[in-house]
Amino acid sequence: MFFFGIEHEVAFLNQAGKFADFENTKFADFSQIVERLPTYPNDYGQLRVGDAGIKTKRWYIEGFERFADSDKVIDCLPKGIEIRTTIHSDIQGAINELSASFLLLRDVAADYGFLPVLTSFNPYKIVFEPQPPLNDYEKKYLQAYPDEHTANIYMVTYGPDLNISVADLSGEKLIDIGKKLTYYSPYIVPFSYSAPFYDGGLWSGLSVRTFVRTGKRSATLVFVETAEQIISSVPSLTKVARIPAEVGRIEFKAFDSCDDFSLYAALLALLKGLVLDESLLGRATIPDAGLHQVSAKAGFDNEEIFLAATQVLQAAEFALKDDPDRDLLMPLKVKLNKRETPSQQLIQDYQQLGSIEAVLKNTYSQFRV
């Protein structure tokens, strides 16, 4: 019995048609949007609210929380709005809910002059540096959480968490799957690449997000039941579940964002196939940063990446056998045969239009009014 969920970060253009980020957007700008979106009380068993109280809905503001000289949150510097789905027993259920939530977000955001756009890396800001600088409490807080040291990265990147869990898996088996997905990550992430812009122009590859983040941030995160099951690593592979619904969850974090949600369906089917597969033997506790950087630059044009991606896709397809979800893999087979990633279309649009904003306005095309 499989279960699926999606967390999807949305970036925006503002009223002036500029990219909305932590320098030109306040928490209140996004908060007024979230406030108008509905609350579903039955979600709370599945969706974590968190300490700051920002995550009370299926939508919440993704950003960097600022503290006074205590654990009191005094501000949150925003980078966008995240949509998260509840837990579904089938892939299409998660996709349908994500689509419905996105349409609600799009419509309310439009009332305030914000337009959702696809990018997986801030097209203009290379790094995030908190202003004012961190105080002593904040420095101590961040030192206690190794993964939080990379706020300078996550505040300029946008990407999904694709969540998959299987009933009654042992902790040992769960961690083994996490190591497997971490090992094969550089070969499967090109299916999603959507970060070809950097510092106001074209980057020299397909995913600057993957190039910058992987090795410093987790590719896979496995939620275990007890602290005894934790494997010490930086970045983390394991984390103690914070609510019962998280126990046994495998969170794949290395894909870029997608504006065609059927691609998320394909990627969830791929992850499901890899959970079922018993032929692929590679395992890694931390992501191979160098191989991810090769992948980020060249994608499927690199022969090693292409051949391994072919092997992985075939293994997932074989493992799914008669499962109807096997059919969801078709878009990935097409991309692999053409050696294409979504970034190629963004690059082509930029070469024709000459403006990053013009390219971004064309994204989420199936959701445009």
mmCIF file of all heavy atoms in Angstrom, residues 309-335:
data_model
loop_
_atom_site.group_PDB
_atom_site.id
_atom_site.type_symbol
_atom_site.label_atom_id
_atom_site.label_comp_id
_atom_site.label_asym_id
_atom_site.label_seq_id
_atom_site.Cartn_x
_atom_site.Cartn_y
_atom_site.Cartn_z
ATOM 1 N N ALA A 309 20.427 6.885 -16.581
ATOM 2 C CA ALA A 309 18.998 7.242 -16.537
ATOM 3 C C ALA A 309 18.168 6.206 -17.293
ATOM 4 O O ALA A 309 17.068 5.830 -16.850
ATOM 5 C CB ALA A 309 18.784 8.631 -17.131
ATOM 6 N N THR A 310 18.694 5.730 -18.415
ATOM 7 C CA THR A 310 18.011 4.693 -19.188
ATOM 8 C C THR A 310 17.865 3.419 -18.355
ATOM 9 O O THR A 310 16.789 2.810 -18.305
ATOM 10 C CB THR A 310 18.798 4.387 -20.483
ATOM 11 O OG1 THR A 310 18.928 5.594 -21.233
ATOM 12 C CG2 THR A 310 18.086 3.351 -21.326
ATOM 13 N N GLN A 311 18.944 3.036 -17.684
ATOM 14 C CA GLN A 311 18.921 1.844 -16.841
ATOM 15 C C GLN A 311 17.904 1.991 -15.698
ATOM 16 O O GLN A 311 17.131 1.067 -15.412
ATOM 17 C CB GLN A 311 20.317 1.593 -16.260
ATOM 18 C CG GLN A 311 20.403 0.365 -15.356
ATOM 19 C CD GLN A 311 21.698 0.321 -14.545
ATOM 20 O OE1 GLN A 311 22.417 1.317 -14.453
ATOM 21 N NE2 GLN A 311 21.994 -0.827 -13.957
ATOM 22 N N VAL A 312 17.899 3.153 -15.055
ATOM 23 C CA VAL A 312 17.005 3.395 -13.927
ATOM 24 C C VAL A 312 15.548 3.378 -14.380
ATOM 25 O O VAL A 312 14.684 2.768 -13.740
ATOM 26 C CB VAL A 312 17.350 4.741 -13.246
ATOM 27 C CG1 VAL A 312 16.289 5.127 -12.224
ATOM 28 C CG2 VAL A 312 18.708 4.663 -12.571
ATOM 29 N N LEU A 313 15.257 4.039 -15.490
ATOM 30 C CA LEU A 313 13.880 4.090 -16.001
ATOM 31 C C LEU A 313 13.390 2.699 -16.386
ATOM 32 O O LEU A 313 12.251 2.320 -16.101
ATOM 33 C CB LEU A 313 13.808 5.051 -17.194
ATOM 34 C CG LEU A 313 12.413 5.386 -17.735
ATOM 35 C CD1 LEU A 313 11.487 5.899 -16.637
ATOM 36 C CD2 LEU A 313 12.510 6.412 -18.863
ATOM 37 N N GLN A 314 14.248 1.924 -17.015
ATOM 38 C CA GLN A 314 13.876 0.559 -17.388
ATOM 39 C C GLN A 314 13.625 -0.300 -16.151
ATOM 40 O O GLN A 314 12.690 -1.110 -16.119
ATOM 41 C CB GLN A 314 14.963 -0.066 -18.262
ATOM 42 C CG GLN A 314 15.006 0.506 -19.675
ATOM 43 C CD GLN A 314 16.211 0.029 -20.482
ATOM 44 O OE1 GLN A 314 17.154 -0.542 -19.943
ATOM 45 N NE2 GLN A 314 16.178 0.268 -21.789
ATOM 46 N N ALA A 315 14.465 -0.119 -15.118
ATOM 47 C CA ALA A 315 14.293 -0.887 -13.884
ATOM 48 C C ALA A 315 12.963 -0.538 -13.205
ATOM 49 O O ALA A 315 12.249 -1.419 -12.715
ATOM 50 C CB ALA A 315 15.460 -0.614 -12.928
ATOM 51 N N ALA A 316 12.621 0.761 -13.180
ATOM 52 C CA ALA A 316 11.355 1.190 -12.574
ATOM 53 C C ALA A 316 10.175 0.642 -13.364
ATOM 54 O O ALA A 316 9.182 0.166 -12.780
ATOM 55 C CB ALA A 316 11.293 2.715 -12.523
ATOM 56 N N GLU A 317 10.281 0.686 -14.674
ATOM 57 C CA GLU A 317 9.205 0.182 -15.534
ATOM 58 C C GLU A 317 9.001 -1.318 -15.312
ATOM 59 O O GLU A 317 7.866 -1.799 -15.194
ATOM 60 C CB GLU A 317 9.547 0.465 -17.003
ATOM 61 C CG GLU A 317 8.392 0.207 -17.950
ATOM 62 C CD GLU A 317 8.704 0.660 -19.380
ATOM 63 O OE1 GLU A 317 9.889 0.765 -19.733
ATOM 64 O OE2 GLU A 317 7.742 0.891 -20.122
ATOM 65 N N PHE A 318 10.091 -2.051 -15.222
ATOM 66 C CA PHE A 318 10.007 -3.500 -15.008
ATOM 67 C C PHE A 318 9.406 -3.800 -13.632
ATOM 68 O O PHE A 318 8.566 -4.699 -13.485
ATOM 69 C CB PHE A 318 11.394 -4.142 -15.128
ATOM 70 C CG PHE A 318 11.387 -5.626 -14.927
ATOM 71 C CD1 PHE A 318 10.975 -6.479 -15.946
ATOM 72 C CD2 PHE A 318 11.774 -6.169 -13.701
ATOM 73 C CE1 PHE A 318 10.960 -7.854 -15.757
ATOM 74 C CE2 PHE A 318 11.763 -7.544 -13.496
ATOM 75 C CZ PHE A 318 11.354 -8.390 -14.532
ATOM 76 N N ALA A 319 9.806 -3.036 -12.622
ATOM 77 C CA ALA A 319 9.319 -3.274 -11.261
ATOM 78 C C ALA A 319 7.820 -2.999 -11.133
ATOM 79 O O ALA A 319 7.123 -3.651 -10.337
ATOM 80 C CB ALA A 319 10.090 -2.407 -10.270
ATOM 81 N N LEU A 320 7.307 -2.053 -11.925
ATOM 82 C CA LEU A 320 5.873 -1.732 -11.872
ATOM 83 C C LEU A 320 5.017 -2.778 -12.579
ATOM 84 O O LEU A 320 3.806 -2.849 -12.343
ATOM 85 C CB LEU A 320 5.619 -0.336 -12.462
ATOM 86 C CG LEU A 320 6.096 0.840 -11.595
ATOM 87 C CD1 LEU A 320 6.078 2.144 -12.383
ATOM 88 C CD2 LEU A 320 5.244 0.971 -10.337
ATOM 89 N N LYS A 321 5.616 -3.561 -13.473
ATOM 90 C CA LYS A 321 4.954 -4.691 -14.148
ATOM 91 C C LYS A 321 3.559 -4.335 -14.630
ATOM 92 O O LYS A 321 3.381 -3.551 -15.536
ATOM 93 C CB LYS A 321 4.923 -5.911 -13.205
ATOM 94 C CG LYS A 321 6.294 -6.485 -12.924
ATOM 95 C CD LYS A 321 6.216 -7.639 -11.960
ATOM 96 C CE LYS A 321 7.625 -8.110 -11.599
ATOM 97 N NZ LYS A 321 7.650 -8.815 -10.326
ATOM 98 N N ASP A 322 2.518 -4.917 -13.980
ATOM 99 C CA ASP A 322 1.134 -4.714 -14.424
ATOM 100 C C ASP A 322 0.451 -3.550 -13.719
ATOM 101 O O ASP A 322 -0.745 -3.333 -13.892
ATOM 102 C CB ASP A 322 0.306 -5.995 -14.178
ATOM 103 C CG ASP A 322 0.881 -7.178 -14.944
ATOM 104 O OD1 ASP A 322 1.392 -6.960 -16.066
ATOM 105 O OD2 ASP A 322 0.821 -8.309 -14.421
ATOM 106 N N ASP A 323 1.197 -2.801 -12.913
ATOM 107 C CA ASP A 323 0.624 -1.664 -12.203
ATOM 108 C C ASP A 323 0.237 -0.583 -13.214
ATOM 109 O O ASP A 323 1.043 -0.211 -14.068
ATOM 110 C CB ASP A 323 1.676 -1.115 -11.224
ATOM 111 C CG ASP A 323 1.097 -0.105 -10.243
ATOM 112 O OD1 ASP A 323 0.367 0.809 -10.688
ATOM 113 O OD2 ASP A 323 1.397 -0.215 -9.042
ATOM 114 N N PRO A 324 -0.995 -0.053 -13.141
ATOM 115 C CA PRO A 324 -1.412 1.007 -14.080
ATOM 116 C C PRO A 324 -0.503 2.235 -14.046
ATOM 117 O O PRO A 324 -0.407 2.972 -15.034
ATOM 118 C CB PRO A 324 -2.828 1.375 -13.615
ATOM 119 C CG PRO A 324 -3.283 0.269 -12.736
ATOM 120 C CD PRO A 324 -2.063 -0.430 -12.206
ATOM 121 N N ASP A 325 0.170 2.480 -12.909
ATOM 122 C CA ASP A 325 1.063 3.639 -12.795
ATOM 123 C C ASP A 325 2.252 3.528 -13.748
ATOM 124 O O ASP A 325 2.936 4.525 -14.003
ATOM 125 C CB ASP A 325 1.564 3.803 -11.359
ATOM 126 C CG ASP A 325 0.485 4.352 -10.434
ATOM 127 O OD1 ASP A 325 -0.508 4.899 -10.944
ATOM 128 O OD2 ASP A 325 0.636 4.226 -9.201
ATOM 129 N N ARG A 326 2.501 2.353 -14.269
ATOM 130 C CA ARG A 326 3.577 2.181 -15.250
ATOM 131 C C ARG A 326 3.356 3.101 -16.459
ATOM 132 O O ARG A 326 4.311 3.636 -17.035
ATOM 133 C CB ARG A 326 3.629 0.715 -15.682
ATOM 134 C CG ARG A 326 4.709 0.396 -16.693
ATOM 135 C CD ARG A 326 4.715 -1.079 -17.006
ATOM 136 N NE ARG A 326 5.638 -1.382 -18.092
ATOM 137 C CZ ARG A 326 5.924 -2.604 -18.509
ATOM 138 N NH1 ARG A 326 5.369 -3.646 -17.917
ATOM 139 N NH2 ARG A 326 6.761 -2.786 -19.500
ATOM 140 N N ASP A 327 2.088 3.297 -16.828
ATOM 141 C CA ASP A 327 1.778 4.151 -17.994
ATOM 142 C C ASP A 327 2.171 5.610 -17.750
ATOM 143 O O ASP A 327 2.388 6.363 -18.705
ATOM 144 C CB ASP A 327 0.276 4.083 -18.316
ATOM 145 C CG ASP A 327 -0.142 2.695 -18.779
ATOM 146 O OD1 ASP A 327 0.740 1.923 -19.233
ATOM 147 O OD2 ASP A 327 -1.336 2.367 -18.679
ATOM 148 N N LEU A 328 2.244 6.017 -16.467
ATOM 149 C CA LEU A 328 2.596 7.401 -16.151
ATOM 150 C C LEU A 328 4.046 7.727 -16.510
ATOM 151 O O LEU A 328 4.420 8.897 -16.585
ATOM 152 C CB LEU A 328 2.378 7.668 -14.655
ATOM 153 C CG LEU A 328 0.928 7.594 -14.138
ATOM 154 C CD1 LEU A 328 0.891 7.732 -12.628
ATOM 155 C CD2 LEU A 328 0.068 8.677 -14.792
ATOM 156 N N LEU A 329 4.858 6.697 -16.739
ATOM 157 C CA LEU A 329 6.274 6.912 -17.048
ATOM 158 C C LEU A 329 6.505 7.417 -18.477
ATOM 159 O O LEU A 329 7.606 7.860 -18.804
ATOM 160 C CB LEU A 329 7.064 5.603 -16.865
ATOM 161 C CG LEU A 329 7.126 5.019 -15.452
ATOM 162 C CD1 LEU A 329 7.812 3.667 -15.480
ATOM 163 C CD2 LEU A 329 7.836 5.965 -14.495
ATOM 164 N N MET A 330 5.478 7.360 -19.319
ATOM 165 C CA MET A 330 5.649 7.674 -20.753
ATOM 166 C C MET A 330 6.308 9.037 -21.010
ATOM 167 O O MET A 330 7.223 9.130 -21.845
ATOM 168 C CB MET A 330 4.301 7.582 -21.474
ATOM 169 C CG MET A 330 4.410 7.786 -22.989
ATOM 170 S SD MET A 330 5.605 6.674 -23.805
ATOM 171 C CE MET A 330 4.719 5.125 -23.669
ATOM 172 N N PRO A 331 5.917 10.134 -20.329
ATOM 173 C CA PRO A 331 6.583 11.423 -20.602
ATOM 174 C C PRO A 331 8.091 11.370 -20.346
ATOM 175 O O PRO A 331 8.855 12.070 -21.010
ATOM 176 C CB PRO A 331 5.896 12.400 -19.642
ATOM 177 C CG PRO A 331 4.604 11.760 -19.278
ATOM 178 C CD PRO A 331 4.832 10.282 -19.341
ATOM 179 N N LEU A 332 8.507 10.561 -19.380
ATOM 180 C CA LEU A 332 9.938 10.443 -19.079
ATOM 181 C C LEU A 332 10.656 9.702 -20.208
ATOM 182 O O LEU A 332 11.784 10.067 -20.576
ATOM 183 C CB LEU A 332 10.149 9.711 -17.750
ATOM 184 C CG LEU A 332 9.419 10.277 -16.524
ATOM 185 C CD1 LEU A 332 9.840 9.528 -15.267
ATOM 186 C CD2 LEU A 332 9.661 11.769 -16.369
ATOM 187 N N LYS A 333 10.011 8.703 -20.755
ATOM 188 C CA LYS A 333 10.620 7.961 -21.870
ATOM 189 C C LYS A 333 10.797 8.874 -23.084
ATOM 190 O O LYS A 333 11.828 8.838 -23.761
ATOM 191 C CB LYS A 333 9.745 6.749 -22.226
ATOM 192 C CG LYS A 333 9.713 5.700 -21.131
ATOM 193 C CD LYS A 333 8.627 4.666 -21.354
ATOM 194 C CE LYS A 333 9.026 3.642 -22.388
ATOM 195 N NZ LYS A 333 8.045 2.525 -22.432
ATOM 196 N N VAL A 334 9.813 9.722 -23.325
ATOM 197 C CA VAL A 334 9.891 10.673 -24.445
ATOM 198 C C VAL A 334 11.039 11.647 -24.222
ATOM 199 O O VAL A 334 11.855 11.899 -25.134
ATOM 200 C CB VAL A 334 8.550 11.433 -24.608
ATOM 201 C CG1 VAL A 334 8.689 12.552 -25.622
ATOM 202 C CG2 VAL A 334 7.440 10.464 -25.026
ATOM 203 N N LYS A 335 11.132 12.209 -23.010
ATOM 204 C CA LYS A 335 12.212 13.160 -22.702
ATOM 205 C C LYS A 335 13.582 12.506 -22.861
ATOM 206 O O LYS A 335 14.516 13.104 -23.401
ATOM 207 C CB LYS A 335 12.048 13.695 -21.271
ATOM 208 C CG LYS A 335 11.038 14.829 -21.149
ATOM 209 C CD LYS A 335 11.013 15.377 -19.745
ATOM 210 C CE LYS A 335 10.269 16.692 -19.660
ATOM 211 N NZ LYS A 335 9.067 16.779 -20.468
#
